[in-house]
Amino acid sequence: MTYRTHTCGELQAKDITKSVTLAGWVQTIRKFGSITFVDLRDRYGITQLLFNEALNTRLDATPLGREFVIQVEGKVIERSNKNLQLSTGEIEIEVSNFTILNASIVPPFTIVDDTDGGDDIRMKYRYLDLRRSAIQQNIQLRYAVNRATREYLHNNHFLDIETPFLIKSTPEGARDFVVPSRMNEQEFYALPQSPQTFKQLLMVSGFDRYYQIVKCFRDEDLRADRQPEFTQIDCEMSFVNQENVLQMFEGLVKHILKTVKNIDYAQPVERMTWEHAMEHYGNDKPDIRFDMKLKNITQTVQGKGFKVFDDAEYIVAIVVKNCTDYTRKQIDELTDWVKRPQIGMGGLAVVKYQADGILKSSFDKFFNEEQLKQIADTSHATANDLILILSGNKTKTQKAMSELRLEMASRLGLRKADEFKLLWVLDFPLLEYNEEEQIWHACHHPFTSPKPEHIEWMNDKNKFKDIKANAYDMVLNGNEIGGGSIRIFQRDLQEKMFATLGLTKEEAQEKFGFLLGAFEYGAPPHGGIAFGFDRLCAILSGSESIRDVIAFPKNNSGRDVMLNAPSAIDDKQYKELHLKK
RNA sequence: GGAUCGGUAGUUCAGUUGGUUAGAACGCUGCCCUGUCACGGCAGAGGUCGCGGGUUCGAGUCCCGUCCGGUCCGCCA
């Protein structure tokens, strides 16, 4: 038996008079006395069926309901009223025979693009949600990105090599998911946070160019763009310097943009140092689709008797073009916005550079016209511009202004979903200080190579914060989509790095002895990068959350609400795994 | 660990200062309809207002606790 001769998305005017068999899901039923229209859906599209009881009394569509799976035989005929919104809108099927392959109870939400279902119910019935064409397109885009990645990397002689999921728990970084070992009492595997050490060992083994589109696991709290299990495009290369890596992988992203979105990204990918990004954008992943850079105006505004400024460590401005018409109400609303706990600023100072050249500020009591002009000049504002100013502790103020910059751009429509701007952020610090734990952590990871000229600073704690690494992030529209580094490949430097991070020699040997050992047998210089595959797919599909590009995602609490996982295990399992209940 | 918003019909939501029998839309059921594609018309069914406690003559509404979900901070080498 042949279930179908065609899909629901392919029949056109040229097929008129053909006899066909279609199978799919009932999307909607529209009954008009003795004739009934049924929209039949599969992943390829929708085809309208015509059930005409005047032709045959068996063609009564009354038994059908939404989401029934049916098979129909019939003839392709021309529609009297065409529907130009459907690819199959010029034709319909005059049904001669139909079979209900499987009935459906009434679905809890309607299976249409603009569904009435909320997140919760859609996740519980994810298999129904996945029938919706909007989600199906995301999943198809994900596959397209996967294919484009494999194609590019294969053409550049990368090998896809699988690495194990049951590995060893390591210190630092994210929390590990842990798996108890039945055969090795009181011992545990960990699921990999990334295949980092394995790919480095593959370089030692001479595989030269490796990649994997691979699941990684981190037991940390979730966000809209963070899942406990997520997918990376994980890559590593031998005998490369930083420039080689940047070239190779901006090529990859350009290839993906071309293949998946048909975008010719001809211009070179912009580059800036981490320090430059922090100073001019207030964060390490600037959105460069628009300007509105942060301007440090601390020197310009202090000493004028305005306590808010005089007491601040750092005062920063952004210039919002053509917004002097902002009303008091809008300014008050922005002020409330920066006062929200997530931003946590005390207030917002404003200077309006009016079209007539007159400057007005929210702190006119302390500043005369000329002093306001100095602020305008320092921040490169001209007539018609609105200057927004935040002040306070440097780190917090930079971060808050970075958020305000994005918020203003969103309000002004400057963050267009169909515009893609790539950026390399370079020269990240090697180390960062964790106030809470009072220790230095690796900014990227402990295998990242410091810049050679900074290696000697690893002997001086006071210079730790100044050590830069050969580490780089790729940023797309203000999202970190990938990050990597040139790695340490000498045993002594790696040991020094572990020591810097506070590991004793014994701990380093216990946790990473295999890697230190490998470095003694002729490890080649190497480096690599890993891209957040889910995040990349979310951006390319215009999705707000990576959940929209993952077939079976977890919710905010790390739960799979469809499976109801995680769940309790039975007593027998506790016993076998040598766990106490 | 913390902040914040939400939980009312199958679904998405409204519900005023605490006050009669808790509403709308979509969906669902039945009937009518030969050209719809957001079909239309008529009729109807459908509710433990997340859960527990309290205040009150009276609680969907106020208070306390708790569970669930969204977003964010911390965290995410």
Side-chain angles (χ1 to χ4, degrees):
Chain A
M1 183 174 89
T2 307
Y3 274 111
R4 59 180 177 186
T5 57
H6 297 79
T7 70
C8 295
E10 66 175 307
L11 292 168
Q12 305 289 325
K14 64 178 167 50
D15 300 305
I16 287 168
T17 74
K18 274 186 192 163
S19 289
V20 298
T21 305
L22 298 186
W25 286 263
V26 173
Q27 171 104 0
T28 54
I29 301 166
R30 295 180 294 276
K31 191 166 166 59
F32 296 82
S34 58
I35 68 164
T36 303
F37 298 108
V38 172
D39 286 347
L40 190 69
R41 184 196 71 235
D42 65 13
R43 80 174 235 233
Y44 304 95
I46 285 175
T47 300
Q48 177 164 288
L49 310 177
L50 173 63
F51 288 69
N52 191 343
E53 288 178 66
L55 292 179
N56 184 337
T57 52
R58 283 198 321 102
L59 296 174
D60 176 8
T62 311
L64 299 182
R66 281 176 191 273
E67 302 306 318
F68 276 44
V69 182
I70 64 171
Q71 179 190 34
V72 299
E73 293 164 47
K75 197 168 80 178
V76 182
I77 60 172
E78 187 175 5
R79 278 203 208 188
S80 43
N81 297 319
K82 300 188 189 340
N83 181 347
L84 298 178
Q85 288 173 340
L86 285 181
S87 64
T88 61
E90 291 188 59
I91 57 98
E92 63 194 358
I93 309 299
E94 188 178 68
V95 175
S96 57
N97 197 13
F98 74 99
T99 309
I100 295 174
L101 298 174
N102 210 342
S104 169
I105 57 174
V106 177
F109 53 91
T110 51
I111 316 284
V112 292
D113 281 2
D114 200 8
T115 182
D116 57 6
D119 284 345
D120 197 11
I121 195 97
R122 292 201 291 120
M123 286 308 160
K124 187 169 176 190
Y125 298 93
R126 184 61 167 173
Y127 46 88
L128 297 180
D129 196 31
L130 287 168
R131 286 185 188 169
R132 297 168 51 228
S133 114
I135 306 284
Q136 294 215 337
Q137 275 163 27
N138 285 350
I139 299 297
Q140 290 183 39
L141 176 138
R142 185 183 174 102
Y143 181 57
V145 176
N146 186 313
R147 281 186 60 191
T149 301
R150 292 185 186 283
E151 180 179 57
Y152 178 87
L153 294 174
H154 175 79
N155 288 341
N156 282 286
H157 311 292
F158 284 78
L159 300 176
D160 177 353
I161 305 173
E162 291 159 90
T163 52
F165 280 172
L166 295 174
I167 63 167
K168 184 187 177 90
S169 188
T170 54
E172 281 213 77
R175 288 188 194 91
D176 285 322
F177 277 102
V178 145
V179 181
S181 168
R182 178 182 57 81
M183 290 188 290
N184 303 276
E185 191 168 342
Q186 297 302 325
E187 292 188 315
F188 297 83
Y189 300 102
L191 302 180
Q193 300 176 25
S194 95
Q196 182 61 34
T197 48
F198 290 102
K199 68 176 173 179
Q200 292 192 245
L201 293 173
L202 289 170
M203 294 304 108
V204 176
S205 304
F207 282 106
D208 190 41
R209 289 182 176 196
Y210 143 95
Y211 86 101
Q212 208 181 169
I213 297 178
V214 64
K215 273 287 173 70
C216 301
F217 306 86
R218 291 177 192 174
D219 188 8
E220 295 292 346
D221 285 7
L222 282 69
R223 290 283 190 280
D225 64 350
R226 228 193 276 162
Q227 287 270 307
E229 55 175 306
F230 61 100
T231 305
Q232 283 191 344
I233 306 169
D234 190 53
C235 309
E236 197 75 8
M237 305 170 78
S238 290
F239 305 114
V240 285
N241 57 29
Q242 175 168 303
E243 187 59 32
N244 301 140
V245 178
L246 300 189
Q247 292 288 341
M248 177 61 74
F249 292 103
E250 63 184 63
L252 168 62
V253 178
K254 285 179 177 181
H255 179 75
I256 292 170
L257 283 173
K258 175 65 186 166
T259 312
V260 177
K261 305 290 286 186
N262 198 27
I263 290 169
D264 283 300
Y265 201 98
Q267 72 265 41
V269 174
E270 274 190 50
R271 297 180 181 192
M272 69 178 68
T273 64
W274 176 84
E275 264 178 5
H276 186 274
M278 296 306 289
E279 183 70 19
H280 296 278
Y281 297 90
N283 72 59
D284 60 4
K285 47 181 165 106
D287 188 341
I288 57 166
R289 282 175 295 180
F290 58 96
D291 193 30
M292 225 190 288
K293 290 191 190 71
L294 277 59
K295 307 288 183 192
N296 179 356
I297 58 166
T298 313
Q299 299 298 320
T300 313
V301 299
Q302 283 191 331
K304 306 286 195 291
F306 185 28
K307 204 166 168 3
V308 172
F309 288 167
D310 290 350
D311 290 352
E313 179 191 0
Y314 192 74
I315 303 150
V316 64
I318 56 170
V319 175
V320 189
K321 287 286 172 199
N322 302 316
C323 280
T324 37
D325 56 349
Y326 255 54
T327 60
R328 176 63 190 266
K329 197 180 160 193
Q330 285 173 298
I331 302 287
D332 284 349
E333 203 258 316
L334 279 180
T335 306
D336 288 343
W337 192 89
V338 301
K339 283 179 169 179
R340 293 177 317 143
Q342 296 98 304
I343 307 294
M345 299 308 289
L348 178 69
V350 174
V351 180
K352 281 185 183 177
Y353 199 146
Q354 295 179 175
D356 57 12
I358 294 173
L359 289 140
K360 293 218 168 122
S361 76
S362 58
F363 44 92
D364 278 347
K365 241 191 281 182
F366 306 96
F367 281 66
N368 60 33
E369 180 96 21
E370 195 194 316
Q371 290 167 327
L372 292 179
K373 185 72 170 54
Q374 283 172 7
I375 297 176
D377 289 346
T378 312
S379 46
H380 301 127
T382 55
N384 265 326
D385 292 348
L386 177 70
I387 307 171
L388 303 176
I389 301 168
L390 291 174
S391 60
N393 153 287
K394 181 168 180 179
T395 311
K396 190 174 169 183
T397 306
Q398 271 186 329
K399 199 175 167 190
M401 189 52 101
S402 159
E403 294 294 329
L404 182 59
R405 173 179 178 269
L406 293 174
E407 175 67 18
M408 292 310 296
S410 293
R411 291 181 186 213
L412 297 171
L414 300 174
R415 308 186 74 189
K416 303 189 194 88
D418 58 351
E419 184 186 358
F420 296 96
K421 269 285 185 74
L422 292 165
L423 169 72
W424 284 116
V425 178
L426 307 173
D427 301 349
F428 274 74
L430 183 73
L431 303 165
E432 64 187 346
Y433 192 66
N434 184 313
E435 298 283 351
E436 213 169 292
E437 297 174 53
Q438 306 258 310
I439 52 170
W440 288 89
H441 276 295
C443 240
H444 184 49
H445 57 52
F447 317 108
T448 297
S449 173
K451 290 207 172 277
E453 61 270 30
H454 295 171
I455 288 174
E456 58 179 300
W457 294 352
M458 294 173 82
N459 298 319
D460 180 359
K461 265 206 159 122
N462 296 319
K463 293 208 166 157
F464 278 9
K465 65 176 169 30
D466 298 318
I467 303 173
K468 294 293 188 289
N470 280 322
Y472 33 82
D473 274 1
M474 178 165 268
V475 176
L476 175 58
N477 294 357
N479 301 280
E480 181 200 329
I481 59 164
S485 61
I486 298 299
R487 324 298 185 188
I488 297 169
F489 65 102
Q490 305 101 326
R491 179 177 177 127
D492 54 350
L493 183 55
Q494 187 65 68
E495 283 183 324
K496 191 168 196 162
M497 182 66 182
F498 287 141
T500 304
L501 298 172
L503 263 68
T504 64
K505 221 168 178 155
E506 292 70 32
E507 284 169 334
Q509 187 60 38
E510 205 279 314
K511 299 290 181 186
F512 296 109
F514 60 97
L515 188 68
L516 293 170
F519 283 175
E520 291 189 295
Y521 293 95
H526 60 284
I529 193 166
F531 291 91
F533 186 65
D534 311 286
R535 211 175 276 184
L536 180 59
C537 292
I539 297 166
L540 294 178
S541 68
S543 305
E544 298 208 339
S545 166
I546 62 170
R547 274 173 233 163
D548 294 336
V549 296
I550 297 173
F552 298 101
K554 303 213 172 11
N555 78 2
N556 218 14
S557 319
R559 300 198 67 84
D560 184 321
V561 294
M562 185 180 68
L563 302 177
N564 192 25
S567 60
I569 56 174
D570 59 36
D571 292 348
K572 189 179 165 211
Q573 288 172 298
Y574 273 99
K575 205 174 166 192
E576 281 178 348
L577 295 169
H578 321 285
L579 297 172
K580 282 186 190 129
K581 189 164 183 181

